[in-house]
């Protein structure tokens, strides 16, 4: 009895690829992405005064879009690439390299392209959560600068330290399964700090 053609080994379906793991990673990533766009875009546009609605919605939409560009150009490699410092990866456009994208990801059951997408949606929702602290308080041009800078100098440090196999906290045995430190703690502290400085 032969296997169905969808299960046979081929260039498009290598032996190491687990289709179930890959499908679930992509499904979970899509669900997180939907929390950001349209989820938080609609929420932020609807909870503020009418005069700030478009600005608040665009803060979330811009953050999602800007993180996508920054993540592919340097963010992914700084969060999951080669070690530059014990808490930071070396920046490079590895997320745009086709050979890298088609190779196995960390777990070895799905391609690196899936890992780039999965980690991107978490990187994107984090500054969007920060935006909730700044609705109606922050100039949009300042927000356009803040997002790439915060992603580069704050988010990638936490992601590399805790989630990358090369990170010093990962090597020390610290576990962060649901993003409690990398996403929620960092966005909460950043949001509180940003709201304080914008308010005074």
């Amino acid at each position: 009895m032969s296997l169905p053609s969808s299960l046979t080994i081929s260039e498009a379906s290598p032996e190491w690829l687990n289709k179930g793991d890959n499908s679930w990673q992509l499904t979970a990533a899509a669900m997180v992405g939907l929390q950001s766009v349209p989820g938080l875009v609609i929420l932020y546009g609807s909870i503020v005064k009418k005069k700030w609605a478009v600005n608040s919605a665009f803060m979330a939409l811009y953050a999602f879009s800007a993180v996508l560009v920054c993540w592919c150009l340097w963010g992914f490699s700084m969060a999951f690439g080669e070690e530059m410092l014990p808490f930071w990866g070396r920046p490079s456009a590895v997320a745009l390299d086709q050979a890298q994208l088609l190779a196995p990801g960390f777990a070895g059951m799905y391609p690196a392209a899936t890992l780039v997408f999965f980690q991107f949606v978490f990187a994107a929702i984090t500054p969007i959560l920060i935006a909730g602290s700044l609705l109606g308080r922050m100039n949009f041009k300042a927000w356009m600068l803040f997002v790439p800078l915060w992603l580069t100098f704050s988010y990638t440090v936490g992601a590399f330290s805790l989630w990358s196999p090369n990170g010093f906290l990962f090597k020390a045995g610290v576990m962060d399964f649901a993003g409690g430190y990398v996403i929620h703690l960092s966005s909460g502290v950043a949001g509180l700090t940003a709201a304080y400085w914008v308010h005074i």
Side-chain angles (χ1 to χ4, degrees), residues 72 92-103 112-113 116:
C72 291
S92 72
V94 68
L96 301 176
D97 182 358
Q98 185 175 358
Q100 286 281 109
L101 291 174
L102 297 178
V116 171

Side-chain angles (χ1 to χ4, degrees), residues 40 44 124-134 143 183-184 187-188 191:
L40 289 171
Y44 289 169
I125 201 171
T126 309
I128 296 174
L129 292 173
I130 298 170
S133 304
L134 301 167
W143 178 248
I183 299 167
H184 300 101
S187 63

Side-chain angles (χ1 to χ4, degrees), residues 158 162-163 174-187:
L162 281 158
W163 286 344
V174 178
M175 295 295 220
D176 180 20
F177 291 112
Y181 297 116
V182 178
I183 299 167
H184 300 101
L185 183 63
S186 68
S187 63

Side-chain angles (χ1 to χ4, degrees), residues 49-61:
K49 292 180 181 179
K50 190 182 290 185
K51 65 180 179 179
W52 295 325
V54 173
N55 181 69
S56 299
F58 265 89
M59 283 178 73
L61 187 60

Side-chain angles (χ1 to χ4, degrees), residues 79 86-88 156-164 167-171:
F87 53 87
W88 222 1
T156 57
V157 171
F160 184 85
S161 300
L162 281 158
W163 286 344
S164 172
F168 78 102
L169 291 174
F170 184 94
K171 290 176 182 176

Side-chain angles (χ1 to χ4, degrees), residues 12-160:
S13 180
E15 188 175 359
W16 52 262
L17 177 66
N18 184 308
K19 292 184 178 180
D21 282 3
N22 193 43
S23 298
W24 174 244
Q25 287 290 116
L26 292 170
T27 302
M31 289 179 179
V32 174
L34 288 170
Q35 290 176 36
S36 303
V37 178
L40 289 171
V41 171
I42 294 170
L43 177 68
Y44 289 169
S46 65
I47 63 174
V48 295
K49 292 180 181 179
K50 190 182 290 185
K51 65 180 179 179
W52 295 325
V54 173
N55 181 69
S56 299
F58 265 89
M59 283 178 73
L61 187 60
Y62 166 78
F64 192 85
S65 306
V67 169
L68 174 60
V69 174
C70 298
W71 191 249
C72 291
L73 291 177
W74 68 82
F76 178 75
S77 63
M78 291 182 75
F80 295 96
E82 296 176 10
E83 180 180 323
M84 182 172 72
L85 298 170
F87 53 87
W88 222 1
R90 187 177 309 283
S92 72
V94 68
L96 301 176
D97 182 358
Q98 185 175 358
Q100 286 281 109
L101 291 174
L102 297 178
F106 287 152
M109 300 295 215
Y110 48 82
T114 300
L115 179 65
V116 171
F117 175 54
F118 181 76
Q119 292 296 341
F120 151 67
V121 292
F122 288 103
I125 201 171
T126 309
I128 296 174
L129 292 173
I130 298 170
S133 304
L134 301 167
L135 298 179
R137 297 176 176 180
M138 190 172 194
N139 182 289
F140 190 76
K141 290 178 182 176
W143 178 248
M144 289 177 72
L145 285 173
F146 176 83
V147 171
L149 291 172
W150 189 85
L151 175 80
T152 303
F153 294 105
S154 184
Y155 183 84
T156 57
V157 171
F160 184 85

